[in-house]
Amino acid sequence: MELRDIEIFLVVAEELHFGRSAERLLVSQARVSQAIRKQERRIGAALFERTSRTVRLTSVGRQLRDDLQPVYAGLHASLERARMTASGVTGRLRVGMMPFNLVDMHHYWRTFRSRHPQWELEIRQLAYVDPFGRLRDDAMDVLVTWLPVQEPDLTVGPVLCTDSRVLAVAAGHPLAERTSAHLEMFADFQHAVAPNMPDYWEDSYLPFHTAQGRPIERGSLVTNAEELINQVGMGEIIHGFPSHVTRHWGMPNIRWLPVTDLAALSFALVWRTEAENELISALADTVREAGTLRF
C-alpha cells in the first residue's frame, strides 16, 4: 500500500466523511473514493459501511486503522523531526481545539510563539470523535475542551475562557421568535450527539434530563461542526452551544437564544499526565499569566 493511500484511509477513518477528507487532503473526492476502493479490492473486504447519511468503519476497517496508525505516525514523526532539525526548530506542540479558535484566543498563541521561537505551535480544530483518544494515542499534545474532565490519566490545566450558553434553532422553528430559552424546552425537540463521549462529560454539555426529569432526546450522530449546524439550519434538530459560536457563525437561517438556566462552560488545557514536558508547561504558564477570557 502506498504511503499516500495509507494517509487517505486514515483521514477518512477519522473524519468518517469523504467530502471533508478530500478537503483536508487537498485532493478531489473522486481521488479519495478511488484510493479506498483500491484498498478494499486489495484486502478483499469493505473498509467502510456507507449510506446516504453516514460513513462507518467495518470491523476490518477498524483493525486496519488500529494497525496502521502507529506505523504511519512513527514515519511521519521521523520526517517531521528531520524537517524541524534542518530549520533550527527544536520542538513542536500540537494543540487540538474543541471550541473554535476565536481571534480572542490568539493572544495566548502569539505570546507563546514570541517567548519560544525555537518551538513550533500547531493549532488544529478537532472532529467530534473521541477527543481524549487523540491525547492517548499521541496524535495531540494538548486538548482545549470544556470542563469537567475526570480522567485519571489526564491533567487539567488553566482555564482559557468561560462562556455562557445559547440554543440554536432554525429561523422557521417554533422557538425562533422567542428572546430566550430554558432547559425544559430542550425536551420537546431532537438534539444531536457525538460518538465516544464519556457520559459525565456529555451530560455537562447537554444534560440527559431536564430539572423535571424529562429526557432530552439525542438523534443522529455528528462528527463535526459543519454537519451539526447544517442539521440545525434544516430544522432537523435544535442544539445548545457555548455563546462564542455566534461570533464564528453569522448565518441568516439560524436564531440564537440565550439559555437562562444552564451554567456557563469553562474551557481549559488538558494533557496526558505522563506526557507532560517543557513545552506543555510553558503553554500552561502562558495561559495562567494572560488570564481567563469571558464571553
Side-chain angles (χ1 to χ4, degrees):
M1 188 181 295
E2 297 178 4
L3 183 61
R4 184 57 165 168
D5 289 343
I6 293 175
E7 182 181 24
I8 289 172
F9 166 72
L10 290 175
V11 169
V12 177
E14 179 183 333
E15 293 285 350
L16 296 178
H17 192 284
F18 279 62
R20 287 194 303 274
S21 298
E23 292 175 5
R24 178 171 157 186
L25 291 159
L26 303 178
V27 299
S28 68
Q29 188 169 335
R31 171 70 177 92
V32 172
S33 298
Q34 179 188 45
I36 297 301
R37 286 196 300 269
K38 183 172 71 173
Q39 293 170 44
E40 289 177 329
R41 287 195 301 269
R42 179 174 296 169
I43 291 168
L47 299 175
F48 296 94
E49 297 173 355
R50 307 168 180 83
T51 70
S52 59
R53 294 181 61 88
T54 63
V55 176
R56 299 175 187 272
L57 282 162
T58 64
S59 59
V60 174
R62 287 193 297 271
Q63 178 183 323
L64 184 62
R65 176 201 60 191
D66 294 345
D67 288 344
L68 286 179
Q69 275 180 336
V71 175
Y72 179 79
L75 177 58
H76 188 265
S78 297
L79 295 172
E80 274 297 295
R81 284 194 295 271
R83 182 192 65 80
M84 289 164 58
T85 300
S87 62
V89 175
T90 62
R92 180 179 62 170
L93 187 64
R94 302 161 300 172
V95 178
M97 302 287 294
M98 292 300 288
F100 287 115
N101 183 21
L102 297 177
V103 66
D104 310 72
M105 295 185 181
H106 291 190
H107 173 65
Y108 298 127
W109 320 138
R110 288 194 302 268
T111 302
F112 179 88
R113 285 170 172 151
S114 66
R115 290 179 178 180
H116 307 287
Q118 76 279 20
W119 296 334
E120 281 190 354
L121 179 64
E122 180 181 287
I123 309 294
R124 293 290 181 267
Q125 199 72 38
L126 293 186
Y128 302 158
V129 180
D130 191 19
F132 297 149
R134 303 299 301 279
L135 292 175
R136 290 169 174 143
D137 65 14
D138 198 34
M140 288 288 158
D141 302 304
V142 177
L143 175 67
V144 179
T145 190
W146 69 84
L147 300 179
V149 172
Q150 301 166 353
E151 305 294 308
D153 59 327
L154 303 182
T155 293
V156 177
V159 172
L160 292 87
C161 65
T162 297
D163 208 348
S164 58
R165 312 292 284 279
V166 294
L167 179 67
V169 303
H173 193 274
L175 298 178
E177 298 305 315
R178 298 186 64 92
T179 58
S180 64
H182 54 82
L183 187 61
E184 208 63 38
M185 297 174 180
F186 285 40
D188 296 326
F189 304 96
Q190 283 281 329
H191 302 254
V193 64
N196 300 322
M197 298 172 68
D199 284 349
Y200 78 87
W201 194 57
E202 180 182 345
D203 185 67
S204 67
Y205 187 96
L206 177 64
F208 291 109
H209 296 87
T210 70
Q212 297 182 17
R214 299 170 64 203
I216 297 177
E217 298 293 338
R218 273 68 167 166
S220 59
L221 292 176
V222 296
T223 60
N224 64 88
E226 289 74 19
E227 182 180 8
L228 180 56
I229 200 64
N230 180 63
Q231 289 190 27
V232 172
M234 294 298 293
E236 299 173 15
I237 61 170
I238 65 173
H239 203 74
F241 290 94
S243 66
H244 73 259
V245 302
T246 63
R247 305 171 64 186
H248 184 86
W249 279 320
M251 306 177 72
N253 62 327
I254 301 291
R255 300 290 181 266
W256 307 100
L257 312 178
V259 180
T260 59
D261 56 350
L262 266 181
L265 282 177
S266 290
F267 290 83
L269 300 181
V270 178
W271 59 87
R272 191 161 48 92
T273 302
E274 67 177 20
E276 183 171 342
N277 57 26
E278 185 181 10
L279 286 77
I280 294 173
S281 297
L283 180 61
D285 288 343
T286 298
V287 172
R288 288 190 190 97
E289 293 172 18
T292 301
L293 301 169
R294 298 186 185 278
F295 300 129

